[in-house]
Amino acid sequence: MDYRHELSRLIDIDGVSREEIEKLITVPKESDNGDFCLPCFRFAGLLKKSPVVIAKELAETITASDTADFLSNVEPKNGYLNFYLDKSDFNRRILEKVLSEGDAYGASDEGRGRTVCIDYSSINIAKPFHIGHLMTTVIGAALYRLYKFLGYNAVGINHLGDWGTQFGKLIVAYKKWGDEKDLENRGIRALLDIYVKFHKCAETDDSLNDEARRWFKRIEDGDPEAVALFDKFKEVTMKEVDRTYKRLKVSFDSYAGESFYNDKMQPVIDELQEKGLLCDSDGAKVVDLSAYNMPPCLILKADGATLYATRDLAAAFYRKKTYDFYKCLYVVAYQQNLHFKQWFKVVELMGYDWYKDLEHVAFGMVSMEDGAMSTREGKVVFLEDVLNRTVEKARAVLDEKSQTLENKDEVAEVIGVGAVVFSALYNSRIKDVVFSYDRVLSFEGETGPYVQYTHARCTSVLSRAEITENVDYSALDNPDAVAVVKAIAAFPDALSDAVRKYEPCYVARSVMAVCQAYNKFYFEHRIIDAPEEKRNAMLILTKAARQVIKTGLSLLGITAPDKM
Ligand code: ARG
């Protein structure tokens, strides 16, 4: 049952449509003010009455009719019309819905026929996959799953950083100091070492830079030796990164990276030229954006080389043509705000209305508690190391607290990785976060392990008794149970909100609300020793709570263990 819709049908106001009323109905902040409310302020002008009087009259009409058996009360208050649901009816409806829909509870087809491209993770070849990539990877992947769950056609794109003069440098470094065995064993770390060494040596020996430029040119010209080396670096990187993607349950539909657009930029440059948007700036070609208070967007360097923005422009046109997207999202750190603003503006100036569908989904910075993150000094915190260490710590906790658990390694992996992912998705994405092993792994507080533990608790309750036929829902006529059902009922809205605002934290918070409410219920009420019919109602509540926790976690990319 769609309560907003049903409530809107109880209200007749001349000159205001049902749809408008439905949109105005919200959930009050304070539960004292009902389960839903309709603010009447908007109608004051139209009806030439005060909102207080309007609310009072509407309440009287509804109370006089007997159409609303799902309501226990309707009350006007301070210009709001507050609706109180009949709790038994509400509990039964919601819980039956969750149980009958199962894994599909919360899913919808609101996105049918719409394609959303999501550019996320977008790592750089031969560079470390570090803690700074955590957010783009898990936020992007969560949005990808959420869009699919809501019926959209989602396209996950890893816009690989696989182009640029640094690959020339890497070839020079590898030919001078590289070691095949070391590369095999240490992968990206071996590449990072020789890359840092190159920069050190190039400080005093500029000829290295010339050599690097020549090698880069050879890659561009398709020289077999240069291309083979470059492919090797790419292979080493992807092999390592895929390992982490697997653990994070992250996947992509396309790995079309920067080099993919080598032959797709010229038409864009020509079009910019034709439309009179390119200006000369010391030999370079730029789009002047001074009218919009932005520095110019660089399209071509004086030597004819293309830039990051040129490739992003070409990629956007390619994506529009290939996928005809409804939206194209870029899950990239807020440090790149200006870059996206600039080239989005260029698309607008070229006259394409779909610039409005390009969305920079920005997020904050992750730093380590001990301050151990500085790419420039080569002090890089590899994401894989963070996951390994969290898993190790989770394993130590299990050794201490869950001695009889069978598959400890498996569960430790799920808890450790889940803890990192949950912490990355629990806050509004724009916030900077300081990563702390102890905090993300705590079993109390708003953490991944707490949510997983609640899931295991529900499973354990359900393993102790069967749900049988007769159910007495009056067992749930208490504020603790109603709070759980309300949290469960709010889950589908949280999913749409998450997608609308590109904020997976709405999902994480919704799951947390279910866990907190359920745990309170669990500690205050005896389930297993209750009379059968009442016990059934409480088991159904438990099952529905477990379903929402499981679905929510899986949308976030986190596994829910049955035992821990
Ligand atoms: N590889 C880039 C970086 O690490 C991120 C790319 C983001 N996506 C894009 N289409 N610009 O900074």
Side-chain angles (χ1 to χ4, degrees):
M1 165 159 178
D2 179 346
Y3 283 106
R4 283 197 188 93
H5 183 70
E6 290 304 316
L7 290 169
S8 73
R9 290 163 49 119
L10 302 173
I11 290 157
D12 249 326
I13 299 176
D14 267 349
V16 187
S17 72
R18 284 269 145 75
E19 288 74 39
E20 272 172 79
I21 290 175
E22 193 175 327
K23 274 198 197 119
L24 285 172
I25 294 174
T26 58
V27 176
K29 289 225 166 61
E30 308 280 328
S31 60
D32 289 356
N33 291 330
D35 302 297
F36 289 97
C37 69
L38 175 70
C40 297
F41 309 94
R42 290 270 188 94
F43 317 129
L46 182 72
L47 301 178
K48 303 209 165 35
K49 288 178 192 166
S50 79
V52 174
V53 172
I54 298 171
K56 186 165 161 282
E57 290 179 0
L58 286 172
E60 281 162 7
T61 331
I62 295 171
T63 315
S65 75
D66 53 10
T67 44
D69 55 358
F70 62 96
L71 291 177
S72 66
N73 194 13
V74 186
E75 211 175 66
K77 189 172 165 189
N78 304 332
Y80 286 86
L81 183 58
N82 296 339
F83 301 99
Y84 295 80
L85 300 179
D86 179 273
K87 291 303 174 309
S88 308
D89 180 81
F90 169 75
N91 288 342
R92 187 181 50 73
R93 273 179 208 274
I94 297 292
L95 297 178
E96 281 177 358
K97 182 175 163 70
V98 178
L99 262 51
S100 77
E101 294 183 1
D103 284 339
Y105 176 67
S108 79
D109 62 353
E110 68 173 59
R112 199 176 23 199
R114 289 176 166 164
T115 296
V116 176
C117 293
I118 312 171
D119 178 322
Y120 59 103
S121 203
S122 300
I123 52 139
N124 300 319
I125 297 302
K127 292 256 182 77
F129 188 26
H130 57 72
I131 183 81
H133 295 109
L134 172 66
M135 296 285 259
T136 169
T137 306
V138 299
I139 293 172
L143 290 174
Y144 178 76
R145 294 183 207 95
L146 280 162
Y147 273 109
K148 283 200 159 172
F149 201 57
L150 299 189
Y152 293 82
N153 173 33
V155 183
I157 304 173
N158 198 332
H159 186 75
L160 298 177
D162 57 1
W163 199 249
T165 47
Q166 73 271 24
F167 296 107
K169 295 177 185 172
L170 211 51
I171 291 181
V172 173
Y174 187 70
K175 288 182 80 75
K176 279 199 186 325
W177 311 296
D179 169 354
E180 184 132 17
K181 275 252 144 49
D182 189 36
L183 182 60
E184 216 153 90
N185 292 333
R186 294 196 311 126
I188 296 173
R189 285 165 223 249
L191 291 175
L192 184 64
D193 285 351
I194 58 170
Y195 189 66
V196 169
K197 190 162 176 182
F198 177 94
H199 276 271
K200 252 217 186 93
C201 296
E203 270 173 27
T204 51
D205 180 2
D206 198 38
S207 73
L208 285 174
N209 286 318
D210 294 331
E211 214 179 315
R213 266 189 288 276
R214 280 196 296 275
W215 273 106
F216 178 58
K217 180 87 175 46
R218 285 174 69 172
I219 306 179
E220 285 196 289
D221 295 342
D223 169 86
E225 188 188 355
V227 171
L229 281 167
F230 172 72
D231 284 347
K232 191 191 198 76
F233 301 151
K234 190 160 171 171
E235 192 190 305
V236 165
T237 309
M238 290 320 291
K239 198 172 118 206
E240 211 167 311
V241 169
D242 276 338
R243 219 160 48 213
T244 304
Y245 284 151
K246 268 217 184 71
R247 298 176 79 180
L248 296 171
K249 299 184 196 308
V250 168
S251 62
F252 302 90
D253 300 299
S254 160
Y255 288 87
E258 295 187 22
S259 71
F260 179 76
Y261 300 99
N262 282 344
D263 60 354
K264 297 177 181 62
M265 287 175 283
Q266 197 54 50
V268 182
I269 297 165
D270 292 344
E271 191 177 334
L272 284 166
Q273 188 77 51
E274 274 159 35
K275 292 187 169 161
L277 290 164
L278 278 192
C279 324
D280 214 77
S281 163
D282 294 330
K285 299 275 184 220
V286 306
V287 178
D288 178 29
L289 298 173
S290 56
Y292 312 96
N293 287 320
M294 284 188 270
C297 182
L298 247 84
I299 302 295
L300 284 176
K301 285 200 217 164
D303 64 4
T306 57
L307 291 115
Y308 185 44
T310 328
R311 282 165 203 275
D312 259 329
L313 280 166
F317 283 98
Y318 176 82
R319 289 173 194 175
K320 186 66 196 169
K321 195 173 86 216
T322 310
Y323 306 110
D324 190 24
F325 55 72
Y326 154 74
K327 277 196 192 307
C328 182
L329 315 184
Y330 297 84
V331 187
V332 184
Y334 66 62
Q335 278 92 338
Q336 295 192 26
N337 274 354
L338 179 62
H339 164 73
F340 285 100
K341 265 193 162 155
Q342 285 178 306
W343 78 258
F344 288 179
K345 183 53 95 181
V346 173
V347 177
E348 181 185 350
L349 293 175
M350 288 171 86
Y352 293 101
D353 206 35
W354 50 264
Y355 79 91
K356 294 193 197 105
D357 308 326
L358 303 169
E359 203 75 58
H360 177 203
V361 178
F363 57 82
M365 238 163 50
V366 183
S367 52
M368 301 302 282
E369 206 169 26
D370 57 3
M373 177 74 195
S374 161
T375 327
R376 215 170 295 159
E377 294 160 48
K379 278 200 294 181
V380 182
V381 179
F382 282 74
L383 185 49
E384 191 169 31
D385 292 345
V386 173
L387 296 180
N388 288 344
R389 188 150 163 218
T390 327
V391 169
E392 219 172 87
K393 283 173 174 272
R395 172 72 209 224
V397 175
L398 292 179
D399 281 337
E400 192 194 327
K401 294 196 173 155
S402 313
Q403 276 150 11
T404 57
L405 191 69
E406 278 161 20
N407 50 346
K408 276 199 204 124
D409 282 335
E410 224 173 281
V411 177
E413 168 75 15
V414 159
I415 296 176
V417 174
V420 174
V421 175
F422 193 86
S423 78
L425 295 178
Y426 194 63
N427 290 310
S428 155
R429 60 185 151 74
I430 205 67
K431 268 196 186 164
D432 289 335
V433 287
V434 179
F435 185 90
S436 145
Y437 287 101
D438 290 338
R439 193 153 18 82
V440 306
L441 271 172
S442 162
F443 278 62
E444 281 142 48
E446 297 165 32
T447 65
Y450 171 82
V451 173
Q452 287 170 323
Y453 192 77
T454 311
H455 180 269
R457 166 169 289 156
C458 292
T459 307
S460 149
V461 169
L462 291 166
S463 73
R464 276 184 277 153
E466 204 83 32
I467 300 173
T468 55
E469 192 116 334
N470 292 323
V471 185
D472 178 0
Y473 278 99
S474 75
L476 306 181
D477 282 347
N478 59 72
D480 293 331
V482 171
V484 182
V485 182
K486 274 194 159 183
I488 289 171
F491 182 66
D493 276 352
L495 302 185
S496 332
D497 285 349
V499 153
R500 203 155 34 82
K501 298 191 174 135
Y502 320 116
E503 283 283 18
C505 74
Y506 285 101
V507 182
R509 301 220 162 225
S510 176
V511 169
M512 181 59 68
V514 172
C515 290
Q516 287 172 336
Y518 182 79
N519 284 323
K520 178 152 196 305
F521 173 82
Y522 175 85
F523 285 115
E524 303 284 336
H525 301 265
R526 304 191 68 85
I527 302 176
I528 300 301
D529 355 317
E532 185 175 333
E533 291 170 15
K534 289 196 188 267
R535 181 177 68 212
N536 280 338
M538 291 189 270
L539 290 173
I540 287 173
L541 179 78
T542 304
K543 197 167 175 187
R546 185 179 68 158
Q547 178 65 60
V548 170
I549 298 169
K550 179 169 164 245
T551 304
L553 285 182
S554 95
L555 288 167
L556 300 177
I558 300 171
T559 304
D562 282 330
K563 278 194 189 146
M564 60 191 269

